[in-house]
Amino acid sequence: MTIRRLDIKVLLAAGAVATLLLAAPTAQATLIGDAVNCATTGPDHWVCNQASAVVGSGSEFKLSSLGTEVFNVDIGASSIRIDYTGSGDLGTGAGEQLILSDLDWVGMAGSIIGIANFATADTLRMEASDVAFSAHGVDIDFNSARFSPGAFLSFDLVTRHQVPEPASAVLVGLGMMALAIRRRRATD
């Protein structure tokens, strides 16, 4: 049995496609471009400047206390940073929480399974345990925190994503090409 020129061209094309699929970068999951919701709990004077914003460059939300903006909330591709922008010290009381919800990943489906790289200014009495999370949301408990000028809080979101395997896609593609070649041979 000899392999015809057409069959060789088809096999070479299949090899080229397989190489491209294996070399192609996998999609990156990101929050950039996602619409995120902001809410607060606690006293009425503790509010988000808007209910939702699209994640991009810069701060997505500003939080106000008694009508004065005191926090910038910046959501990154997979991180959250909150900077205290007030000029004096600010203490928070019981029940004051920031709730960021509807965190949906752009690029591939995913969910939040934890936080990492938690960091704060030395003066801020907050710990990683003050951050609770769900699959698509984060609650930050400011219960009894003390903010001084320059204080910040930041952490990365640990996520799980459904990543398609390039090798499986290549095998399926090669199997389909083999079936096409076999069918062509049967008709010749």
Side-chain angles (χ1 to χ4, degrees):
M1 177 184 293
T2 62
I3 298 177
R4 288 187 257 161
R5 287 181 187 232
L6 182 61
D7 291 340
I8 291 173
K9 287 181 182 179
V10 170
L11 289 173
L12 288 174
V17 168
T19 302
L20 286 174
L21 286 174
L22 286 174
T26 58
Q28 293 292 320
T30 180
L31 290 172
I32 304 296
D34 179 38
V36 176
N37 298 324
C38 180
T40 58
T41 63
D44 291 340
H45 66 268
W46 182 257
V47 296
C48 295
N49 67 328
Q50 57 193 37
S52 70
V54 175
V55 177
S57 61
S59 296
E60 280 68 38
F61 301 103
K62 296 188 182 304
L63 301 180
S64 297
S65 178
L66 299 173
T68 302
E69 290 180 353
V70 290
F71 295 102
N72 283 334
V73 179
D74 183 18
I75 302 171
S78 63
S79 63
I80 296 174
R81 181 179 172 102
I82 301 168
D83 288 293
Y84 176 63
T85 58
S87 57
D89 289 347
L90 173 71
T92 57
E96 295 175 339
Q97 289 186 324
L98 169 63
I99 302 163
L100 299 172
S101 60
D102 201 21
L103 298 169
D104 298 318
W105 300 92
V106 177
M108 69 181 74
S111 59
I112 300 168
I113 61 171
I115 66 169
N117 302 321
F118 182 87
T120 66
D122 291 339
T123 58
L124 184 59
R125 291 181 287 198
M126 290 185 70
E127 299 177 2
S129 61
D130 293 321
V131 179
F133 58 90
S134 63
H136 300 281
V138 174
D139 296 354
I140 303 165
D141 188 351
F142 289 107
N143 189 20
S144 301
R146 190 130 198 83
F147 294 90
S148 297
F152 71 93
L153 161 69
S154 68
F155 54 89
D156 294 332
L157 300 170
V158 178
T159 58
R160 178 181 19 230
H161 297 280
Q162 308 260 333
V163 180
E165 292 184 45
S168 298
V170 169
L171 288 175
V172 168
L174 288 174
M176 292 179 76
M177 297 284 288
L179 288 174
I181 291 169
R182 185 173 180 188
R183 185 174 190 186
R184 177 169 279 170
R185 283 185 182 166
T187 59
D188 286 345

